[in-house]
Amino acid sequence: QVQLVESGGGLVQAGGSLRLSCAAAGRTSSSYAMGWFRQAPGKEREFVATISWSGGSTYYADSVKGRFTISRDNAKNTVYLRMNNLKPEDTAVYYCAATRGRIATRRDDFGSWGQGTQVTVSS
């Protein structure tokens, strides 16, 4: 159980960059792996990236590999998603999520979710 607050979404041109942030409210004494998911209209929520509590392990969906970077600053209770070379197909609502334990890619493995932030990439 952790409350997540997202920010950083917006409108950007293709080829541009954007950084999303997700902050956990209050203190957390447990270790949480974090993830980013996205959902386009009419589609299911899909995995984007995940990172371990220490930040030492990351994993990315093939569609964003080499363009997106997930990172975290535990002192600030914040996880980031740096998105470079954005494409129109990246347009979606982006959600951050937390899971107790190791990194994961399945939606059902994450117990806490942010409210989502809209990312729109124009061509």
Side-chain angles (χ1 to χ4, degrees), residues 37-48 88-95 117-119:
F37 292 75
R38 66 186 182 186
Q39 187 169 20
K43 295 186 177 181
E44 292 294 310
R45 195 171 300 184
E46 66 176 0
F47 167 76
V48 175
E89 52 262 44
D90 295 319
T91 296
V93 177
Y94 283 71
Y95 299 87
T117 184
Q118 177 71 47
V119 172

Side-chain angles (χ1 to χ4, degrees), residues 18-79:
L18 204 62
R19 189 181 75 163
L20 306 182
S21 300
C22 181
R27 302 188 193 93
T28 57
S29 58
S30 301
S31 298
Y32 290 89
M34 301 293 295
W36 286 96
F37 292 75
R38 66 186 182 186
Q39 187 169 20
K43 295 186 177 181
E44 292 294 310
R45 195 171 300 184
E46 66 176 0
F47 167 76
V48 175
T50 186
I51 186 169
S52 62
W53 182 86
S54 68
S57 297
T58 59
Y59 186 77
Y60 299 89
D62 289 341
S63 59
V64 306
K65 202 171 298 181
R67 299 188 297 120
F68 290 12
T69 302
I70 188 171
S71 62
R72 66 190 302 165
D73 186 340
N74 287 347
K76 297 180 178 180
N77 287 338
T78 302
V79 63

